[in-house]
Structures are given as structure tokens and as C-alpha cells.
Amino acid sequence: MERVSYAEAVRRGLAEEMRRDPLVWALGEDLSRAHGSTSSTQYCGLIDEFGPKRVVDTPISESTIMGAAVGAALAGTRPVAELRNVDFGLCAIDELVNQAAKIRYMFGGQARVPLVTRQGLGLKRSLGSQHTQSNEVWFVHTPGLVVVAPATPGDGRGLLKASIRCDDPVVFLEHKELWATEGDVDFSDDGIVPLGRARTVTSGTDLTLVVWSRMAIVAEHAATQLSALGVSAEVIDLRTLWPWDREAVFRSVRKTGRLLVAQESVLVGGFANEVAAEVSERLHNTLVAPVRRLGAPRIPMPYSPPLEDECRIECRHVVEAALSLVQNDRSRKETT
Amino acid sequence: MERVSYAEAVRRGLAEEMRRDPLVWALGEDLSRAHGSTSSTQYCGLIDEFGPKRVVDTPISESTIMGAAVGAALAGTRPVAELRNVDFGLCAIDELVNQAAKIRYMFGGQARVPLVTRQGLGLKRSLGSQHTQSNEVWFVHTPGLVVVAPATPGDGRGLLKASIRCDDPVVFLEHKELWATEGDVDFSDDGIVPLGRARTVTSGTDLTLVVWSRMAIVAEHAATQLSALGVSAEVIDLRTLWPWDREAVFRSVRKTGRLLVAQESVLVGGFANEVAAEVSERLHNTLVAPVRRLGAPRIPMPYSPPLEDECRIECRHVVEAALSLVQNDRSRKETT
Amino acid sequence: MGNENTASASIGRALALFRTMCLIREFEERCAEEKARGTVPGLVHQSTGQEAVPTGICAHLRREDYLFSNHRGHGHAIAKGADPAAMMKEIFGRQGGTCGGKGGSMHIADFSVGMLGANGILADGLTMAVGAAQAVSLKGENRLVCCFVGDGTTNRGPFFEALNWAQVFRLPVLFACEDNTYASTTRTDEVFAGPGVVARVASFGIEAASVDGNDLGAVDAAAGRLIAQIRSGGGPRFLHARTYRIRGHISSDPLNYRRAGETETHMATEPIARYQKWLIENGASETDCSAIRAEARALIERAVAESMAAPFPDTNTAWTDVQDIGGPQWNG
Amino acid sequence: MGNENTASASIGRALALFRTMCLIREFEERCAEEKARGTVPGLVHQSTGQEAVPTGICAHLRREDYLFSNHRGHGHAIAKGADPAAMMKEIFGRQGGTCGGKGGSMHIADFSVGMLGANGILADGLTMAVGAAQAVSLKGENRLVCCFVGDGTTNRGPFFEALNWAQVFRLPVLFACEDNTYASTTRTDEVFAGPGVVARVASFGIEAASVDGNDLGAVDAAAGRLIAQIRSGGGPRFLHARTYRIRGHISSDPLNYRRAGETETHMATEPIARYQKWLIENGASETDCSAIRAEARALIERAVAESMAAPFPDTNTAWTDVQDIGGPQWNG
Ligand SMILES: Cc1ncc(C[n+]2csc(CCOP(=O)(O)OP(=O)(O)O)c2C)c(N)n1
Ligand SMILES: Cc1ncc(C[n+]2csc(CCOP(=O)(O)OP(=O)(O)O)c2C)c(N)n1
Ligand SMILES: [Mg+2]
Ligand SMILES: [Mg+2]
């Protein structure tokens, strides 16, 4: 076991895959050079080991970063297309959604598109409206894509490796506030984390708390606080958003009878609705209370810290919602 | 009253607004010339009345069509940015989501972005994977945007007019199979349909059927068939997806106790989840059965008609689901 | 038409090129006929009149070379060696189609001959092409990548990005611009600034040639030269071929935005009759040419008949080949 | 530096320009200091060393002209007349900020002086600029639109689309390229094909000038000429200003990708000392210059002090100005 940051764990995961398979390569803006911001350390030093043909500094051409990755995947390589932020990823979403996601199907299975696109997700203090979005549900809604959003260094490494080995396009979402977080990783083994499998963060009996990405860290803290208040929460970190681990969630809800889904992204139209709607429909009789969802208000992210805090889902929101759920609090009445 | 096609109704609605307000103008590819496909008739003849400065044939530059519309809105005009298809709209989604949707907020209310972007939605026979998508939920999930998806000629005209008068960016989604459908429109009045207000298509008592866009037509047929089978369905056409008319839906569900939400788009991660999750959470005690959702399987749309039919939600699916819902059919058991 | 002289080394090769053009022509015309008859479910973008461009270019491509096409791609696919019968079945949406009926006209691909796909989104094939070339270079392979782009599409941002990218990384790519005067209902020159696409391309340091795209000999010669340069490691090249879209944007287009007589004027320079004239002047017989035309017609006729007779795909196939993990059965 | 002679008609005007440059310099340096001290919450992109470019260009803009900026936009805003104190408050996220604290450094806008926004997404300001110019032309107004673009950003597709668009519609737009050698950690010349951006621009038929962007006189003269041409209906123009980014990409950038001595070499040609030298050679006194520098320092110092003292915005304001219909209270 080694204690490493998330950024370092995924960096080494990528290096391991590049060593294993000479067809794996990475492309994106400013990959090869050290940089002041943590968001670049995940490629640090790779150019020295793998050279400029496999760690490619590209022009500022997002459409072509993604389009080239698709073409390169069709031509038998396994590109990792770094987009830095889902926000910049919007400049390449046509190539991802209209090409990468559809080609295997559209061409009747003649080809696969084994690409991974890495995109920074979500909030980091005061980056403003154009650098903090979370649009994971867009990708979940798009047939052909696999969607991954790991929360820990070990899962970051293990799921990146699994994503690179996947024969279909994977959107690999790395929350920007996770880069600096640390965890123990065992680099002596392969460390592959299978796609589509959730992680039970804490076991519990009173309610199920479904989360992903940075919210898994928040939920873990919330579970500790809840436990001190006598509430036993089972925290499930989905890790993969498509396909999400329905079995794990259903199993847990059958045990607890209550479900809270908490996301950082805007609640309206978000991924929490997917989990909530599935559970509400399929486990209607099992639920002892209606499924609760937490998510950001439908507001572009503001810059000033106190305003930003208005729009963030934090530990206390999760604790409050969980408490009201177990107390079957009906203060939020069925009228509007 | 005049009997006109949807395409003609929206064409005249746009002309009315352009006559009323000299700051309204339209831009897009091939707007000014007649074309073999119905999808161009909605601008037919406008150039003769308004000239090439207000009906602008643009280069094939989707990013700039949307970006220019944003800039033109900031500079005090009301552009209508025609993108033809949501699929092509993906080439301009950065400008829509990162700029149009956020500017008013990000700049602290100094400016508004009164633009309308018209984008063709959904299926039309055998257009293939890249011309048939439905991604309305993406826009609903994006703060700053209003999202409209009218089903009838009158609503098309009335909501386009309301959208043009709206001071915020509106995504105006016109289902491609609706162009040729006909309806009665009263052009002697203003005809404005307010944003955010649903339309009750048929009243009923046994279940509520929430739909939008082309699915409103399908649901109307389904209600007729259901009625023949002794089931009374209340069909609610949302018309506006953001903000959606929660009051109308809640009112109806309080009456019927049952809800089926049917959409053409992929079920996973789709807008039906939004309505289902809200109703499941807020009206838990009112519901006599779990909310049901219908949507397409998570498959890029295939070309060949019988394959395409596998992926379409049609009248018979709606009827079946409605029947199983009123019969409280639990054949779909709570196990997986 | 002097170029034709130098370019076509032997009359046998010339007749083979003629045959390809005839095949494309027959394919396009029959497709549109079938569309009008209601037997074809999707859209048909014909390339009638543009046959010399893919024919002259693909004459210099090898099977292992990659081709990225666009929405008007039947001719590209045929010239690259795709089976017209399988293509026709695809357009009819039948079993045995190149993509099993899942793609249709706008998404024909035949990976077995290096045809990596038509495309319904303008310019996306270009960015994919430069990536494929990067893969080729990473793998140390000896392939070339060719991509086609329409005149109107040269105003889309990704076109420029791809040019820059190809030249920065010195990639083995041939960009082939089929300038057929129109983009849908718009004359490209009305929305195109500056002296022309060749000047734009040159500003990226990429060598470009501009030829009469209805002169097969000229296309053949220029393509041969540029492709040889690419193969010898010279980096990307650009071929601008001036041609004319004789039919509508899609087969049902009434063409009411054209000047009177415009189509007819251009019919006079369409490439097939022109090349036939040259062939006969250079030793081929009228009979040879007629036989080739008849053979092409018969081949396409057979393709149509086979397509009509072929069953539709099994509906189960709608559910396959989406993705390995999280396929559509998940929610089914 | 002969240009400076012709361009600066009077020493009074020259001193005013000098003052603008000093204001920008002080603003940038103090911002970075505050960022390092932890008082600024967001990112800071400094334009230290590039002051002559916006100063020389905005000297020819009127209040009603529109300006679209990018992520490195403090200098653009100050030169266009935005209040540095309100800008500083914005960067501190305080009440009284240009955007009420909702925007921050990357989204400073001041519509009252025609500054229509910095931008966190590269190249998007360009497409917005051509649209604003189209609105101006539709309304028959007499405004000009200026937009700034970095060297690295000239590889993004929308840059080219905007050029074509501006020229097709003959719009009153000045594109101003601040070529500061770098794009983030990458030297732009390593990922830029062809002879240069001016050649690219020329291929759209747009007239362009290239100047030493650290020579205020040269910028001033070229901008004056191009803007006059635009105002007289000549359509879009392009100004390429060669400069150098003395500081890091963001203020915390360790600059470890630079050659030894590189920054120092470029310090020798930074525009402020250079212009001061010229001023003194041309009749201004050392004292005048020092007074202006001191005044700028004091003004920015006051802006920082005011910002620090200003309260944070009321949290209620987080919920306002999203949209009229369907605002965030809907679900609240
Ligand atoms: C990104 C995108 N925008 C718009 C369209 C619609 N469209 C299809 S073909 C076409 C015209 C293309 O013109 P050109 O590039 O000259 O090719 P041609 O059709 O003449 O072969 C347009 C606008 C599209 N398919 N994709
Ligand atoms: C579309 C997009 N891609 C990437 C980024 C990240 N980014 C911000 S600034 C920058 C470099 C820009 O370089 P240049 O255009 O030369 O401007 P400069 O920073 O030198 O002023 C990059 C890559 C972004 N903000 N937007
Ligand atoms: Mg064309
Ligand atoms: Mg730069």
C-alpha cells in the first residue's frame, strides 16, 4: 500500500496501461509539461517514458482532439482524449455523441471505438460558471457510451485501467476537487475495478444513500455524523453511472426501505432522477418513505464564495435530508 | 380558423413577430430558398418580405450561428437561430450552454440573451442515428434555458411567438414528424401561448398521461383506444419542458391517482424521470400505483424500418402500459 | 484534356476507371429512381456528375488505405472497392447491407476495403481522418488516409482545425475537396470569403492542387502526384476538384433555386461522356465503352433486384452491437 | 520606434495612454499578489507585459463601441474604460463588483462602457462579436465591434468561422490577436502550421497588419488606421500584435517550461519602460512619468483596500437573475 493523491493514482494507472499496451496513447492540450495547477500533474513525466508520439500536446482544437481520438480508435489504437473540463468538452460533444457513441452500432458492428475521454467535473472553489459544470446525465442518456465517475485514488486508477481496456467509448469524469485527495493504493497488483460495479462505502440499516464522484466523500462524512445521531446509513458509491449497479442499489433499498440520492449537479433533469424513478417504480412496495433527492438549484455556478456555497450540496444538506427521511418527516406536504 | 400545417403555422407566427418587432431576425443555413424537404418551408417567402438582413443565409458554421445569435442578442436584437436538427445543434452546444444560458447570471444581470434557437427533434422515418436524436433533457438540466416542445400547429405558432418575446434564451424543439401535421389555427388573434403552461388534451379519471412534442399526438390516439376499452385517460401535453407545469400534473394525478409518462427519447436519464421522480416524491401517498415511464431503449436509432420500429414508442406501447397501470399489474415483479 | 494523356498509362487502366465512373453513375441514378418509387426508406444524396473525383483519386489508393467520406458518399465507397450490391441493400435497409441495415445511405461503411464510413455530420470525417493518420503513424504502418469534403463544408471550424493538425504532425492525409458549386440550396460562393479554398489551405503550409474535377485525366494525374508525395513522407496534401452537382441536394429537391438552363450547361461537361470521347480518340472502341456501360447497368440492376428480394433484418439485430457493457437489455 | 512619432499627436494624449498602461500593470501585479496572499478566491490570468495592445487599440474605440474579451481580459476592460475598483471588487467576489460577485476575473463585463464580457471559453468571444456586429448593422448603428484573441486560440475552429462570417457580411469588426508566444504551457509555434496567422487571415480576404505589440506607438498607429477603415465601411480588419506573456499562464504557474533567461530577455522590451523612454525623449519629464506611475499605484491600492473592506454579496443574490420564467425558486 502506498498513500498517494488521486492525481498520482490515475497518472500511474495510465502509465501502467501504456506500458502494457503500446497502442494506448494520450492526447490533449498541455499534456507534456509541468504546470502550476494540480489538474496537469496526472500526465507528469509520461512524455519522458513514452515520448511525444504517445503523449501528444495538441493545438487548441477541442473538436479535433475528440474527432482524432475517434479516428485513431477506428484505426486500431486506444486513445485517451484529455479535455480538462466537461465545460471545454462541450466544444467536442458532437464528435463524442454523434460519432464515438454511434459508430459501432451505425456501421453494424464492423468497428469499435475504444476511446476514453477524461474530463474534469464539477466545482472547484470560485472557478465560475464556465469551469464548474456537472453534466454526467447527458452522457448517461446517450446510447453507446459508458460513464465513469470514481471518487477515490484506488477507484480512479482501477477504473481508468478498466476504461482503457473497454472496447467502447468511456467518458471518464474526474471531479476537480478530488485531485488532491489522498488514499491508499496497492500498486503491486493489477488493481482493475470492474465497470458497472458499485462500492459500498459504509453499511447501514436505516437508509440507503446513493452517490458518486466527490459526493461519495461528502456522504461518507455524513454517514459518520448520522451514526453519531443514531442513524445507520448505507452509503453506496456508484462509481460507474452507466451502467449503474442497479442490483447493489436494489439490494440495499430492500434492506433499508429508504433511499436518498445526492448529487452535486443541478437536481432538475439530473441523474438522481434516474435512480429515484427506477427505485420508485420497481420497489414501490418496499419503500417505507418516498425516495428523496438532493441536488443543486437550477443556477449557473456563481463566483463569490458565499454565493457558491448557496449552490453546493454539502454534508449538512445530506445529513438534514437523511434525518428528515428516517423521521418520515412530512413537513414538506403534498401541496404546492 | 384556418386549417394549416404545423410548418405553415410556425412560419406565419415568425412572420407576425418580425412584422411587430423590427429587431426580430432569423439566421441559419439555407433559410431563404425553397427546398424539397418540408423542413425548410417554415421560412418560405420570408426573405421577400423582410430582406436578406433579417432572413440570413449563413455559411455552414454552426458554432457561429449560435455564437452570433448570442452576440446579436447582447447587442439589442432578437435573433432566431435555426439549427435544423438537435443533432447539428451539438456543433453549437458550447455557445448555447456556456454562453447563452449563463451570461445574464454571470454578468450579474447587466444583460439578457433574448434568443430563440429552433432545432428539429426526434424521429423521421429512416434518417439514421445522426439525424433522429432527442436530447431535450440536456436543455432542461441547463440553468438559464427555457425549453419548449409544442405538438400542434396552434401551439407551435403561439409558443414560438411567446419564445421570441421571452427575454431569456429559449430552445424551441420542433419534432420533424409534426411539420406536415395539420390543425386549425385562428390567425385573427394574437395567439400567444404562455410559456410554462400545459395543455389538457383529454380529460379523464383513471390515469394521467404526461407527454410532449409528437408523443402528444400518439397519446391522444391512445386515449381514444383506451376509452373504447373502458379506461379514462387524462392526457396532459406539457408543451413547455422547462419550466414544466407541475401544478397541472399534480392536479391531474391527485384526481387519477396514477401516472404514466411517455417519451420518444431514450428512457435512461431522460426527462420522464424528472416528472416521475417529482410526482413519486411529492405525491407518494396519493399514488395508488407506482409511476410508470415509457421511453426508447438505449440504442442509437437504426435505419431500416423494422429495426427503427423496435426503438419507437408507439400508440400500442402507450395503451399497453396504461392498461397494466390501471390493472395495477404487478407482473413486472420487484426482483431483478 | 492533355492531362488525361499522361495520366492514363494504358487503355486497359483507362477502361477500368471508366467502368468505375459508370458504376457510380448507374448506382446514383437507380437509387434516386427507387427513392422516387418509394422503395428506399431514407434520404438519397446523389453524386451524379461528380464521378471523376473519387474515381481518379481512389485509383491511387490501396485497399489498406483508409477513406473517410461524407453524406454524399456512394461514389467514394464504390471507387474504394465496396460492393455495390451490399451498398444497395444497405440503402434499401435489408439483410446483407454493408451495415446490416443499421446505417443506410448516410452511414455506409465497409471496413474490409478501408472505407471507414460515410457521415451525416459535415466535417467530422476530417477530424477522424487526421486521428486515423496519427494512429497509422504511431503504429508505423504504411497506410495513407484520404477524406472527402464538400465546398460548403470548408466553412466549418473543424475543417481548419484538421488542416492545422495534419500539418503540425506531418500526417499522411489527402484532403479531397469536391467543389460541386452548391451546399444544399446555397451557392457556396455567396457565403465564402476570400480568394478560394486553395489559398486557405496554403495558409497552413499545405501544398494544394486545383483541377477540373470533371476531367478524369486531370484528377488522376493530380491525385497520383499528391499521393506519391504523401507516401514518400511529405505530409498532408490537398486536392481541390471543381465539379458540379447535376442533381438536387437530395433526390427530391426540386432545384427551383437554380437559374434556367444552368443544369443543362453543366451537363455538357459531365465527366463520363467526356472521358468516353477521350477513350475513343485514344484507341478504345465505341463498343468497348457501350459494353462497359451495359455491364454497369446490369450489375446495378442486379443489385436493385437482389435488394428488393432480400429480407429485412431480423428485429433482434436492433438490440445488438450498441456496447458490451450496459447494452439496451439493461432496462429491457 | 519611428511609428510612435507619428501616432502620438500630442504629449498629453501620450501621457494618458501611458497612464492606462500603468493602471493595467499595477492592477495585474497587485491581483497576483493578492491571489498569492489568499485573498482572491478564483484564478488570475495576468496580462503583465501586454499592456500596449489593449491600450493602443482602445484609444481608438468610443464608449458605444463593443468589446469582447477573453480569459486574460483585465487589460482590455481597463482600456475600454471599466472602473478598476469595481473590477477588483469583482475579483475579490465582493459587493460592488462589476457583476455583483457572480462573475469573477474570467467573467468581468461592464455594459455601461461597452465591455460585453471576458470569457472562460476560448474563441467564443469571436463568434459573439460577429453577431453583435450583425446587430449593429441591422439596427443601422454607428458602432464598431472589437474582439481580442490569443495566439493559441487561433487554432480553434470558431476563429476561422468568425473570420469568414465577418468578411462575408462585411461587418464592422476589429479582430485583435495578442500573440504572447504561449498558450498555457505550450509554445504556440510548436502546434501552429504555416507561415503565420496573418497569412491565414489574408486567405479570407481580410486585410491584416502585424506590429510589435510592445511598441505602443506602433499599435496605436496600426489600430488607428484599421479602425478608420472599418468605420468608413471597409468591413473587418485584423491586427496581429506580437508581445510576450511575462508572467505565468495563471498567477501560480511556476514557469518551469521556459528556457533559462527567457523571461529576463523579454523584460528588456516590455512596453512601459520603453514608452516612458520615448516620452522622455519627446518632451515629457521623468517627474510626469513617476507621478503617473505613483497615481496608478495609489488608485489600485485604494481599489484593493476598498475590495477588502467591501462586504460579500448577500446570499439571496445567488438566486436572482437566472431567468424570468422557471428560475431556481421553482424547485426550492
Ligand atoms: C454539421 C452539419 N450541419 C448541417 C448539415 C445539413 N447539411 C447536409 S449536406 C449540407 C450541404 C453540404 O454542402 P457541401 O459541403 O458543399 O457538400 P455537398 O452536399 O455539395 O456534397 C448541409 C447543410 C449537416 N449534415 N451537418
Ligand atoms: C475551449 C477552451 N479550451 C481550453 C481552455 C483552457 N485554456 C485557457 S487559456 C488557454 C491558453 C490560451 O492561449 P492563448 O489563446 O494564446 O491566450 P493567452 O492565454 O496566451 O492569453 C487554455 C488552453 C479554455 N478555457 N477553453
Ligand atoms: Mg457542395
Ligand atoms: Mg498566448
Side-chain angles (χ1 to χ4, degrees), chain B residues 60, chain C residues 50 70-72 149-153 177-184 186 188 243-245 249:
Chain B
I60 300 176
Chain C
Q50 307 178 199
N70 60 9
H71 59 290
R72 201 176 302 285
V149 56
D151 45 311
T153 304
C177 177
E178 284 181 292
D179 183 349
N180 64 6
T181 313
Y182 282 93
S184 211
T186 301
T188 294
T243 177
Y244 186 79
R245 195 193 73 206
H249 170 59

Side-chain angles (χ1 to χ4, degrees), chain A residues 29-30 60-62 83-85 87-89 91 130-131, chain B residues 94 98, chain D residues 45-47 50 70-72 76 106 119-124 149-156 178-186 188 245 248-250:
Chain A
E29 294 156 20
D30 305 291
I60 300 176
S61 303
E62 284 74 16
L83 268 289
R84 294 280 176 228
N85 271 325
D87 314 72
F88 310 157
C91 303
Q130 292 175 337
H131 284 63
Chain B
D94 158 54
N98 278 329
Chain D
H45 297 84
Q46 292 166 269
S47 65
Q50 307 179 200
N70 60 10
H71 59 290
R72 202 177 299 287
H76 312 153
M106 269 193 293
N119 211 312
I121 306 294
L122 300 174
D124 282 9
V149 57
D151 45 308
T153 304
T154 65
N155 282 325
R156 265 208 79 211
E178 283 180 294
D179 183 348
N180 63 6
T181 314
Y182 282 93
S184 212
T185 67
T186 301
T188 295
R245 194 193 72 205
H249 169 58
I250 50 176

Side-chain angles (χ1 to χ4, degrees), chain B residues 29-37 57-63 87-88 91 125-131 267-268 293 297-308 310-311 332, chain C residues 40-43 90-91 93 101-104 106-107 119-122 152 155-156 183-186 190-191 249 252 254 256-257 312-315 317-319 322-323 326 328 331-332:
Chain B
E29 294 155 19
D30 305 290
L31 294 200
S32 77
R33 295 172 187 88
H35 190 289
S37 80
D57 285 331
T58 70
I60 300 176
S61 302
E62 284 74 17
S63 294
D87 315 73
F88 310 157
C91 303
R125 178 56 93 193
S126 289
L127 287 182
S129 305
Q130 291 176 337
H131 284 61
L267 181 62
V268 172
R293 296 157 298 138
R298 198 169 175 280
I299 298 178
M301 201 50 64
Y303 170 83
S304 179
L307 303 188
E308 197 179 56
E310 279 286 294
C311 305
R332 228 182 182 184
Chain C
V40 166
L43 300 179
E90 186 61 31
I91 293 171
K102 286 177 173 172
M106 269 193 293
H107 308 296
N119 210 313
I121 306 294
L122 301 173
N155 281 325
R156 264 209 81 211
S184 211
T185 66
T186 301
E190 294 177 7
V191 290
H249 170 59
S252 58
N256 48 5
Y257 46 88
F312 280 102
D314 190 305
T315 54
T317 63
W319 298 78
V322 177
Q323 57 195 97
N331 222 59

Side-chain angles (χ1 to χ4, degrees), chain A residues 29-37 57-63 87-88 91 125-131 267-268 293 297-308 310-311 332, chain D residues 40-43 90-91 93 101-104 106-107 119-122 152 155-156 183-186 190-191 249 252-254 256-257 312-315 317-319 322-323 326 328 331:
Chain A
E29 294 156 20
D30 305 291
L31 292 199
S32 77
R33 293 171 188 91
H35 190 290
S37 81
D57 285 329
T58 70
I60 300 176
S61 303
E62 284 74 16
S63 295
D87 314 72
F88 310 157
C91 303
R125 178 55 93 193
S126 289
L127 287 182
S129 306
Q130 292 175 337
H131 284 63
L267 180 63
V268 172
R293 296 158 297 137
R298 197 168 175 280
I299 298 179
M301 199 50 63
Y303 170 82
S304 179
L307 304 187
E308 197 179 56
E310 279 286 294
C311 305
R332 228 183 182 184
Chain D
V40 165
L43 299 179
E90 186 61 30
I91 293 171
K102 286 177 173 173
M106 269 193 293
H107 308 297
N119 211 312
I121 306 294
L122 300 174
N155 282 325
R156 265 208 79 211
S184 212
T185 67
T186 301
E190 293 177 6
V191 291
H249 169 58
S252 59
D253 177 355
N256 48 5
Y257 46 88
F312 281 103
D314 192 305
T315 53
T317 63
W319 299 79
V322 177
Q323 57 193 98
N331 222 60

Side-chain angles (χ1 to χ4, degrees), chain D residues 153-175:
Chain D
T153 304
T154 65
N155 282 325
R156 265 208 79 211
F159 168 72
F160 301 97
E161 292 188 359
L163 289 176
N164 180 60
W165 191 289
Q167 179 72 346
V168 162
F169 299 111
R170 299 270 155 186
L171 299 172
V173 180
L174 177 69
F175 297 96

